[in-house]
Amino acid sequence: MKGSKYISQPGFADTGMIFKFVQKSNEFIHTFFEGELLYRLGINREDMVGKTLHDFYWDDIETANLLDGYYKKAWEGHYIEYEGKFRGIYYVTYLRPLFHKDKVVEVVGTCVDITNKKIMEEDILQKEQERKLMNSYAFQRSLIDRLDSGIALTDCNKKIRLLNRKFYELFQLKGKLIAILGCMLRIYITFLIKKSRKLSSKIQKNKRELRKKLK
C-alpha cells in the first residue's frame, strides 16, 4: 500500500473510490463509500453502505464469494491487492486493515480505474503476438522459398497468409503483397485465372510477333 502510485496521487477521491467495512456476525458490512469512481460504475452509496457483498451481488454469487474471500484475508490482518472488471471498467483495489491493540477493527479499501492501463497492456500484448506470428511467417517463408513450385498458405478461414517467391514470379505479383494478404482464397483464385489468361494471351501475342519477324 505505502508508496502506491495509484493511492499517492493527489485528489484520489476525485478519481478513485474509498470504502470501509467491518465484521458483524461473521458478515462484512460496508460502513463508508465515496469517490468519483463509485458513480462512474453506476453505484449509489445507498447501494453499498450498510450492505454486504452478497446483498449487492445478489445475482452473482461467484463474484460475491470471490470478493468475500479477499475481505476475509484483509480482516485476518493481510494487505490485499486485487483487480477486477465491473460494467466495462477495469479497476484495482487495495485493502488495508486498521488495528487497535493488535486486533483488526476496520478495513479501508481504495480503488482506482485502470481501464486505460489495461487497454494499453492488451494493445502491447496483441502487438507482441503479431510480432511472434510474423516471426513464424518468416520461418515458414524461409522453408517454402526453397521450393520450385508456387506455394500459397492460407489460414482456417481460407484467407491467404503467405506466398513464396516462386508464386510471385509465376504470376508477376511484384509490389502487390498488401492487396493479396488477407484476401479470401476463392476470390484470389478468380484473380489468378484472369491473370493467367492475360499472361497466356501475352505469350501467344509474342509468339505471333516472333513468327512474323522470322518470316
Side-chain angles (χ1 to χ4, degrees):
M1 287 289 293
K2 189 175 181 180
S4 168
K5 63 181 178 179
Y6 298 116
I7 300 170
S8 62
Q9 293 176 355
F12 176 78
D14 296 328
T15 59
M17 180 171 68
I18 300 173
F19 61 94
K20 301 177 182 179
F21 65 82
V22 297
Q23 188 181 55
K24 292 182 179 180
S25 302
N26 292 324
E27 288 190 311
F28 298 110
I29 310 295
H30 296 103
T31 58
F32 178 86
F33 250 98
E34 189 57 79
E36 177 62 27
L37 183 56
L38 178 68
Y39 305 103
R40 286 167 58 193
L41 290 170
I43 304 172
N44 296 317
R45 280 180 293 179
E46 294 76 16
D47 297 329
M48 301 302 297
V49 176
K51 307 290 181 61
T52 68
L53 287 168
H54 288 86
D55 289 333
F56 182 74
Y57 290 101
W58 59 270
D59 59 344
D60 189 353
I61 301 300
E62 185 176 349
T63 297
N65 289 338
L66 175 65
L67 298 180
D68 191 70
Y70 296 143
Y71 279 28
K72 285 179 181 177
K73 289 181 180 179
W75 197 259
E76 291 170 358
H78 303 287
Y79 289 91
I80 304 298
E81 174 185 340
Y82 63 89
E83 294 184 6
K85 183 180 180 182
F86 186 73
R87 294 177 179 171
I89 294 178
Y90 291 94
Y91 63 87
V92 59
T93 298
Y94 302 90
L95 302 179
R96 180 168 62 92
L98 300 182
F99 296 85
H100 179 67
K101 294 182 179 181
D102 297 328
K103 183 179 180 181
V104 176
V105 294
E106 185 178 51
V107 172
V108 177
T110 50
C111 183
V112 70
D113 182 354
I114 57 170
T115 302
N116 290 336
K117 177 176 175 287
K118 277 293 183 182
I119 291 175
M120 288 178 62
E121 288 177 350
E122 290 175 357
D123 184 55
I124 292 172
L125 179 61
Q126 182 178 350
K127 288 180 179 178
E128 177 63 18
Q129 291 175 338
E130 290 174 354
R131 185 188 65 79
K132 290 180 179 180
L133 191 59
M134 287 304 294
N135 288 340
S136 174
Y137 286 162
F139 175 71
Q140 292 176 17
R141 178 174 286 134
S142 67
L143 294 178
I144 66 175
D145 274 348
R146 302 172 187 173
L147 303 177
D148 292 329
S149 302
I151 304 294
L153 299 183
T154 63
D155 60 17
C156 59
N157 296 315
K158 296 184 179 180
K159 288 185 177 181
I160 296 172
R161 292 304 178 195
L162 192 61
L163 304 172
N164 70 344
R165 291 179 183 176
K166 191 64 177 180
F167 195 97
Y168 288 118
E169 293 172 1
L170 287 172
F171 295 98
Q172 299 179 6
L173 299 174
K174 210 172 199 180
K176 298 182 180 180
L177 177 61
I178 295 177
I180 297 169
L181 295 183
C183 179
M184 292 296 293
L185 182 60
R186 176 178 54 81
I187 297 174
Y188 194 61
I189 287 176
T190 302
F191 166 78
L192 289 180
I193 291 173
K194 292 180 180 180
K195 184 77 174 176
S196 298
R197 288 172 180 171
K198 287 182 180 180
L199 288 174
S200 178
S201 177
K202 187 175 181 180
I203 292 171
Q204 293 300 322
K205 182 180 179 181
N206 290 339
K207 284 182 178 179
R208 287 194 297 269
E209 290 177 354
L210 181 60
R211 289 195 193 101
K212 289 179 182 179
K213 290 179 180 180
L214 291 175
K215 290 180 179 179

